[in-house]
Amino acid sequence: MYRIFTVRRLCTVKYIPTINIHAAVEIVASASCSLSLLYLLTTGSIYRLIAPNSYIIALLWALTILLLWSTIKASKHIFRRSYGSSYRNAILYGLCTLLLSPSIFHAQAFALPAEEPVDQVISITKEPVPTNDYKNIGDGIDDAHRHITLTSRNYYDTILKVSNHIDKYKGYTVTATGYISYHDKALQGNDFVLARDLMICCVADMSPFGLPTEYSSTTPLLEHTWYTMEGTIGTRNFHGVEQPYIVNSKITQADAIDGYIFPN
């Protein structure tokens, strides 16, 4: 009797690495988002989208680092046969890139924080107000002369301070430059708000902000035109609350100041 042995020949098939599409899509999406954020943060263009805030900027830097780490992590799976089952992260990264891209490729459509030159801080007579040292003017309140100078740096905070202590500052003279706005529905006649564009958090909440001003002329001023105004702080009653209201105002046309104001 013969024993029949069947010898099977073992064949070794060499594995050829192929790119994992899922990992590749996530790499491209996360890299695009992280590089977009990195560009906006390093160039300062991020301030076209959000108001200067150290906490938010710190969070965005942390997010950028996290996205870069996600890109590196995904790249380690580029040649693996499987990599998760959801494209959720890639879709989120892609949407983030799309939202950021207008501020990169169409930057001029978005404003930066305002920085007016020293010669914008002038009075109605074109003479320098109590101080023409713009960078050291602080809140602009000169108690000795009972005068308030509003600039891009103090416009919001000083108006808020005056509003919260209206009895103290009533009767002070105020000088400011802004544009004519009629957004305040409580205005009467041809009264206007000498406004600046205010950004509290991000570009989505930008809105006019300023002091309502009495204007007795029979001809209304053209909205969005720029003026320097000098007047006296009075008050008006708005739903039982006393608010600052500029009276005895004098105005003269002024050059527009680019950019927005924000809380300091």
Side-chain angles (χ1 to χ4, degrees):
M1 182 179 292
Y2 296 97
R3 293 182 179 181
I4 301 175
F5 295 92
T6 301
V7 180
R8 294 180 179 179
R9 186 177 179 183
L10 299 177
C11 297
T12 303
V13 178
K14 187 177 181 180
Y15 171 70
I16 301 175
T18 56
I19 294 177
N20 185 298
I21 300 300
H22 186 177
V25 170
E26 189 162 315
I27 289 169
V28 172
S30 60
S32 299
C33 187
S34 59
L35 291 175
S36 296
L37 275 172
L38 189 63
Y39 170 81
L40 292 173
L41 286 166
T42 54
T43 61
S45 296
I46 192 68
Y47 298 124
R48 297 183 186 275
L49 300 177
I50 63 171
N53 183 302
S54 57
Y55 296 106
I56 296 177
I57 296 301
L59 286 174
L60 289 175
W61 272 111
L63 178 61
T64 302
I65 294 171
L66 184 64
L67 287 169
L68 288 171
W69 174 80
S70 178
T71 303
I72 295 171
K73 180 183 176 183
S75 66
K76 295 180 179 179
H77 299 269
I78 189 68
F79 294 117
R80 293 190 179 181
R81 294 182 179 181
S82 63
Y83 178 69
S85 58
S86 172
Y87 282 86
R88 181 182 58 188
N89 290 344
I91 292 172
L92 288 175
Y93 300 151
L95 289 174
C96 175
T97 304
L98 288 174
L99 290 173
L100 295 174
S101 60
S103 60
I104 296 175
F105 299 106
H106 302 283
Q108 298 306 315
F110 299 85
L112 284 169
E115 288 287 350
E116 75 254 62
V118 173
D119 58 9
Q120 282 285 0
V121 188
I122 55 176
S123 69
I124 197 75
T125 58
K126 303 294 185 180
E127 295 297 326
V129 292
T131 175
N132 65 349
D133 188 356
Y134 168 65
K135 292 186 177 181
N136 297 318
I137 203 169
D139 62 9
I141 299 175
D142 183 353
D143 290 313
H145 297 86
R146 293 176 59 83
H147 191 284
I148 298 174
T149 304
L150 296 179
T151 68
S152 294
R153 292 192 180 188
N154 65 30
Y155 209 92
Y156 174 81
D157 296 290
T158 298
I159 290 178
L160 194 63
K161 186 175 181 178
V162 169
S163 300
N164 291 333
H165 303 88
I166 187 62
D167 291 335
K168 176 181 178 179
Y169 296 111
K170 187 175 181 179
Y172 276 43
T173 302
V174 61
T175 302
T177 297
Y179 64 85
I180 304 300
S181 174
Y182 297 108
H183 72 279
D184 188 341
K185 302 305 181 184
L187 294 173
Q188 298 180 353
N190 291 326
D191 294 356
F192 60 86
V193 173
L194 192 72
R196 298 288 300 276
D197 289 327
L198 169 66
M199 186 190 293
I200 297 289
C201 175
C202 62
V203 67
D205 67 25
M206 189 179 292
S207 60
F209 175 83
L211 289 167
T213 303
E214 182 183 66
Y215 189 60
S216 58
S217 174
T218 57
T219 304
L221 296 171
L222 184 63
E223 194 166 20
H224 302 301
T225 52
W226 284 77
Y227 287 87
T228 291
M229 177 273 297
E230 191 169 271
T232 304
I233 297 178
T235 59
R236 70 171 179 179
N237 188 286
F238 184 71
H239 294 293
V241 178
E242 291 295 312
Q243 295 181 334
Y245 206 83
I246 306 303
V247 297
N248 303 322
S249 61
K250 301 175 183 178
I251 59 171
T252 185
Q253 284 192 309
D255 295 331
I257 301 172
D258 294 331
Y260 61 84
I261 59 171
F262 57 92
N264 287 306

